[in-house]
Amino acid sequence: MTPKSPKLREVLEGIPTYKPGRPPAVEDDGAPAYKLSSNENPYPPLPGVLEVAIATARSFNRYPDLACAALTVELAEHLGVPESHIAAGTGSVGVAQQLVQITSGPGDEVMYAWRSFEAYPIITRISGATAVQVPLAADETHDLDAMADAITDRTRLIFVCNPNNPTGTAVSRAALERFLDRVPQDVLVVLDEAYKEFIRAAEGEGEEIPDGIEIYRDRPNVAVLRTFSKAYGLAGLRIGFAVAHEPVAEALRKTAVPFGVSQLAQDAAVASLRAEGALMERVEALVAERARVYEGLTAQGWTVPATQANFVWLRLGERTADFAAAAEAAGVTVRPFAGEGVRITIGETQANDLLLRMAEAFRKEL
Ligand SMILES: Cc1ncc(COP(=O)(O)O)c(C=O)c1O
């Protein structure tokens, strides 16, 4: 008798698998190799954070604080929002999954730009909802008019990734507000601001890039998603949060995996918030490196969309895989999206130097 397998939900068939950025290749000659494939922060933990984490590690026989109370107090003060508007989770991707869970199931539509953060289709399909992917505009930014046009009476959730992963492009405050004015009030709009800290107003352009916290205040159907993984450098500890009005924040707390956010993550996040000065210095250094990489690549002749995140995007089409292979051979791993392009994280100076040299050589052979 052939053993029967357990019956699993049909929606699981065909769900794309999340592809993590490849680790750096090990070089035979001992030359350093760098990982520019996951938008991580190249710096060690902020001052004082490791000490706090080590002290907390001594009590990991205990469950963490289910309510993430100390972090909630700290965040509420930091952002100037009520404590009841904060819901922490296992990375912002964990909170994003909860946002889908609390709004959308079979028959409902979840909308987002495409290409955008690759977890959106996965978490949408897991919930059984239908994904509505609205192509980016020709300049690699969200096509917010097309997104507003695509809203139906089944739309329940819309992700606006600002700046967008993997293109780095940002929507302006005026464009976002125009869009939000067109979204029905019973549709939740999630402003995914994983890369918020890297935003710098484009000089001379005069286009203000919105801060989700200002936008959500008088819009009950807007939630903001933030993370400690990128600028704060806590990717490995898995902690992120949403800021949303009470009904949404409350639903998020209900759907959280109990004790999902470790005490290590909670305490490290609090300590990181208290190291704001050092954070700013590091972010500034990465923003300066970003400008150097951007200018270097454009001087070589590449078309690089203006980026507000800690990465740049090269639309390489069919040369994508070749570029990724050449980068790896040169000692830097980047993130290829087959047939579309590569996303290159801004890393340590040496890694960025390697990338620029390799991109120049690759360009000459085009
Ligand atoms: C746009 C965006 N949102 C959310 C995340 C999830 O980050 P985390 O779960 O580490 O907070 C990422 C990570 O790459 C991202 O690019």
Short mmCIF file of all heavy atoms in Angstrom, two decimals, residues 18 38-39 90-94 117 120 161 163 165 192 194-195 225-230 235 238-240 343, ligand 1:
data_model
loop_
_atom_site.label_atom_id
_atom_site.label_comp_id
_atom_site.label_asym_id
_atom_site.label_seq_id
_atom_site.Cartn_x
_atom_site.Cartn_y
_atom_site.Cartn_z
N TYR A 18 11.31 32.03 -1.78
CA TYR A 18 12.13 33.23 -1.52
C TYR A 18 13.59 32.88 -1.78
O TYR A 18 14.10 31.90 -1.26
CB TYR A 18 11.96 33.66 -0.06
CG TYR A 18 12.52 35.02 0.25
CD1 TYR A 18 11.69 36.11 0.39
CD2 TYR A 18 13.89 35.21 0.41
CE1 TYR A 18 12.20 37.38 0.68
CE2 TYR A 18 14.42 36.47 0.68
CZ TYR A 18 13.56 37.54 0.83
OH TYR A 18 14.06 38.78 1.10
N SER A 38 22.12 41.15 -0.34
CA SER A 38 20.95 41.10 0.55
C SER A 38 20.62 42.42 1.22
O SER A 38 19.88 42.44 2.21
CB SER A 38 21.17 40.03 1.64
OG SER A 38 21.17 38.76 1.06
N ASN A 39 21.17 43.50 0.72
CA ASN A 39 20.89 44.84 1.28
C ASN A 39 21.17 44.91 2.78
O ASN A 39 20.47 45.61 3.53
CB ASN A 39 19.44 45.25 1.01
CG ASN A 39 19.18 45.38 -0.47
OD1 ASN A 39 20.12 45.47 -1.26
ND2 ASN A 39 17.92 45.39 -0.85
N THR A 90 8.41 39.46 13.83
CA THR A 90 9.66 38.78 13.48
C THR A 90 10.19 39.28 12.14
O THR A 90 10.07 38.62 11.12
CB THR A 90 9.41 37.26 13.39
OG1 THR A 90 8.32 37.07 12.47
CG2 THR A 90 9.04 36.67 14.71
N GLY A 91 10.79 40.46 12.19
CA GLY A 91 11.22 41.12 10.97
C GLY A 91 10.01 41.79 10.34
O GLY A 91 8.86 41.40 10.61
N SER A 92 10.26 42.80 9.49
CA SER A 92 9.10 43.45 8.90
C SER A 92 8.41 42.53 7.90
O SER A 92 7.23 42.68 7.62
CB SER A 92 9.47 44.79 8.26
OG SER A 92 10.44 44.62 7.28
N VAL A 93 9.12 41.51 7.43
CA VAL A 93 8.46 40.56 6.53
C VAL A 93 7.43 39.73 7.31
O VAL A 93 6.36 39.40 6.79
CB VAL A 93 9.49 39.67 5.78
CG1 VAL A 93 10.13 38.63 6.66
CG2 VAL A 93 8.85 39.00 4.58
N GLY A 94 7.74 39.45 8.57
CA GLY A 94 6.77 38.76 9.42
C GLY A 94 5.52 39.61 9.62
O GLY A 94 4.39 39.13 9.54
N PHE A 117 9.37 44.04 -3.77
CA PHE A 117 9.93 43.10 -2.78
C PHE A 117 9.38 41.70 -3.04
O PHE A 117 8.17 41.50 -3.11
CB PHE A 117 9.57 43.58 -1.38
CG PHE A 117 10.09 42.73 -0.25
CD1 PHE A 117 11.31 42.07 -0.34
CD2 PHE A 117 9.35 42.60 0.92
CE1 PHE A 117 11.79 41.29 0.70
CE2 PHE A 117 9.82 41.83 1.97
CZ PHE A 117 11.03 41.18 1.86
N TYR A 120 6.27 39.78 -1.36
CA TYR A 120 4.83 40.12 -1.51
C TYR A 120 4.04 39.00 -2.20
O TYR A 120 2.99 38.61 -1.71
CB TYR A 120 4.64 41.44 -2.26
CG TYR A 120 5.23 42.68 -1.59
CD1 TYR A 120 5.59 43.79 -2.35
CD2 TYR A 120 5.42 42.76 -0.21
CE1 TYR A 120 6.12 44.94 -1.77
CE2 TYR A 120 5.95 43.90 0.37
CZ TYR A 120 6.31 44.99 -0.41
OH TYR A 120 6.84 46.11 0.16
N CYS A 161 6.03 50.16 -1.74
CA CYS A 161 7.38 49.95 -1.21
C CYS A 161 8.19 51.21 -1.51
O CYS A 161 8.51 51.49 -2.67
CB CYS A 161 7.97 48.72 -1.92
SG CYS A 161 9.53 48.17 -1.25
N PRO A 163 11.53 53.55 -0.30
CA PRO A 163 11.91 53.29 -1.68
C PRO A 163 11.69 51.83 -2.07
O PRO A 163 11.66 50.96 -1.21
CB PRO A 163 13.39 53.65 -1.73
CG PRO A 163 13.83 53.94 -0.36
CD PRO A 163 12.69 53.89 0.55
N ASN A 165 12.23 48.17 -3.46
CA ASN A 165 13.22 47.09 -3.63
C ASN A 165 12.76 46.30 -4.85
O ASN A 165 11.61 45.83 -4.86
CB ASN A 165 13.20 46.21 -2.37
CG ASN A 165 14.10 45.00 -2.49
OD1 ASN A 165 14.82 44.84 -3.46
ND2 ASN A 165 14.04 44.13 -1.50
N ASP A 192 5.72 50.43 2.92
CA ASP A 192 6.84 49.61 3.38
C ASP A 192 8.10 50.47 3.30
O ASP A 192 8.62 50.73 2.21
CB ASP A 192 6.95 48.36 2.49
CG ASP A 192 8.04 47.40 2.95
OD1 ASP A 192 8.90 47.83 3.75
OD2 ASP A 192 8.02 46.24 2.51
N ALA A 194 11.25 49.96 4.60
CA ALA A 194 12.40 49.20 5.12
C ALA A 194 13.71 49.99 4.98
O ALA A 194 14.64 49.80 5.76
CB ALA A 194 12.52 47.86 4.40
N TYR A 195 13.76 50.88 3.98
CA TYR A 195 15.02 51.60 3.70
C TYR A 195 14.91 53.09 4.01
O TYR A 195 15.70 53.90 3.52
CB TYR A 195 15.41 51.39 2.22
CG TYR A 195 15.54 49.92 1.92
CD1 TYR A 195 14.49 49.19 1.35
CD2 TYR A 195 16.71 49.23 2.25
CE1 TYR A 195 14.60 47.83 1.12
CE2 TYR A 195 16.82 47.86 2.03
CZ TYR A 195 15.76 47.17 1.47
OH TYR A 195 15.88 45.82 1.26
N LEU A 225 5.42 50.28 7.65
CA LEU A 225 6.23 49.12 8.01
C LEU A 225 7.68 49.55 8.09
O LEU A 225 8.20 50.18 7.16
CB LEU A 225 6.04 48.09 6.89
CG LEU A 225 6.15 46.61 7.14
CD1 LEU A 225 5.36 46.19 8.36
CD2 LEU A 225 5.66 45.86 5.90
N ARG A 226 8.33 49.26 9.21
CA ARG A 226 9.75 49.63 9.38
C ARG A 226 10.52 48.41 9.90
O ARG A 226 9.93 47.49 10.45
CB ARG A 226 9.90 50.78 10.38
CG ARG A 226 9.20 52.07 9.96
CD ARG A 226 10.19 53.04 9.36
NE ARG A 226 9.54 54.25 8.92
CZ ARG A 226 9.58 55.42 9.54
NH1 ARG A 226 10.25 55.54 10.67
NH2 ARG A 226 8.99 56.48 9.03
N THR A 227 11.83 48.48 9.79
CA THR A 227 12.64 47.33 10.22
C THR A 227 13.93 47.77 10.91
O THR A 227 14.43 48.87 10.66
CB THR A 227 13.00 46.45 9.01
OG1 THR A 227 13.72 45.32 9.47
CG2 THR A 227 13.85 47.19 7.99
N PHE A 228 14.44 46.89 11.75
CA PHE A 228 15.77 47.09 12.34
C PHE A 228 16.85 46.36 11.54
O PHE A 228 18.01 46.32 11.93
CB PHE A 228 15.78 46.61 13.80
CG PHE A 228 15.07 47.54 14.74
CD1 PHE A 228 13.76 47.31 15.11
CD2 PHE A 228 15.71 48.66 15.23
CE1 PHE A 228 13.10 48.18 15.97
CE2 PHE A 228 15.06 49.55 16.08
CZ PHE A 228 13.75 49.31 16.46
N SER A 229 16.44 45.73 10.43
CA SER A 229 17.38 44.86 9.69
C SER A 229 18.38 45.62 8.83
O SER A 229 19.46 45.12 8.56
CB SER A 229 16.61 43.93 8.75
OG SER A 229 15.82 43.05 9.47
N LYS A 230 18.02 46.79 8.36
CA LYS A 230 18.85 47.44 7.33
C LYS A 230 19.78 48.48 7.96
O LYS A 230 20.89 48.16 8.31
CB LYS A 230 17.94 48.04 6.26
CG LYS A 230 16.92 47.04 5.70
CD LYS A 230 17.58 45.88 4.98
CE LYS A 230 16.56 44.90 4.45
NZ LYS A 230 17.16 43.76 3.77
N ALA A 235 19.76 42.51 11.06
CA ALA A 235 19.05 41.58 10.17
C ALA A 235 18.95 40.17 10.76
O ALA A 235 17.92 39.52 10.66
CB ALA A 235 19.72 41.53 8.80
N ARG A 238 16.01 39.39 13.53
CA ARG A 238 14.62 39.33 13.09
C ARG A 238 13.67 40.20 13.93
O ARG A 238 12.95 39.70 14.80
CB ARG A 238 14.10 37.87 13.06
CG ARG A 238 14.97 36.86 12.39
CD ARG A 238 15.36 37.27 10.98
NE ARG A 238 14.21 37.55 10.13
CZ ARG A 238 14.07 38.71 9.43
NH1 ARG A 238 14.98 39.66 9.49
NH2 ARG A 238 13.02 38.89 8.70
N ILE A 239 13.70 41.47 13.67
CA ILE A 239 12.77 42.36 14.37
C ILE A 239 12.39 43.55 13.48
O ILE A 239 13.25 44.23 12.91
CB ILE A 239 13.33 42.80 15.75
CG1 ILE A 239 12.30 43.71 16.46
CG2 ILE A 239 14.70 43.44 15.66
CD1 ILE A 239 12.50 43.78 17.96
N GLY A 240 11.09 43.75 13.36
CA GLY A 240 10.55 44.87 12.60
C GLY A 240 9.23 45.23 13.25
O GLY A 240 8.79 44.60 14.21
N ARG A 343 20.48 43.74 -8.59
CA ARG A 343 20.44 44.70 -7.49
C ARG A 343 21.77 44.57 -6.78
O ARG A 343 22.19 43.47 -6.44
CB ARG A 343 19.29 44.34 -6.55
CG ARG A 343 19.02 45.37 -5.47
CD ARG A 343 18.08 44.80 -4.43
NE ARG A 343 18.72 43.70 -3.72
CZ ARG A 343 18.07 42.76 -3.05
NH1 ARG A 343 16.76 42.76 -2.99
NH2 ARG A 343 18.73 41.80 -2.42
C1 LIG B 1 11.06 46.33 1.03
C2 LIG B 1 11.37 45.35 2.11
N1 LIG B 1 10.47 45.17 3.07
C3 LIG B 1 10.70 44.31 4.07
C4 LIG B 1 11.87 43.59 4.11
C5 LIG B 1 12.02 42.60 5.21
O1 LIG B 1 13.01 42.91 6.09
P1 LIG B 1 13.03 42.23 7.54
O2 LIG B 1 12.06 41.11 7.54
O3 LIG B 1 14.43 41.78 7.71
O4 LIG B 1 12.62 43.32 8.47
C6 LIG B 1 12.84 43.74 3.13
C7 LIG B 1 14.07 42.95 3.17
O5 LIG B 1 14.79 42.79 2.25
C8 LIG B 1 12.58 44.65 2.09
O6 LIG B 1 13.44 44.83 1.10
#
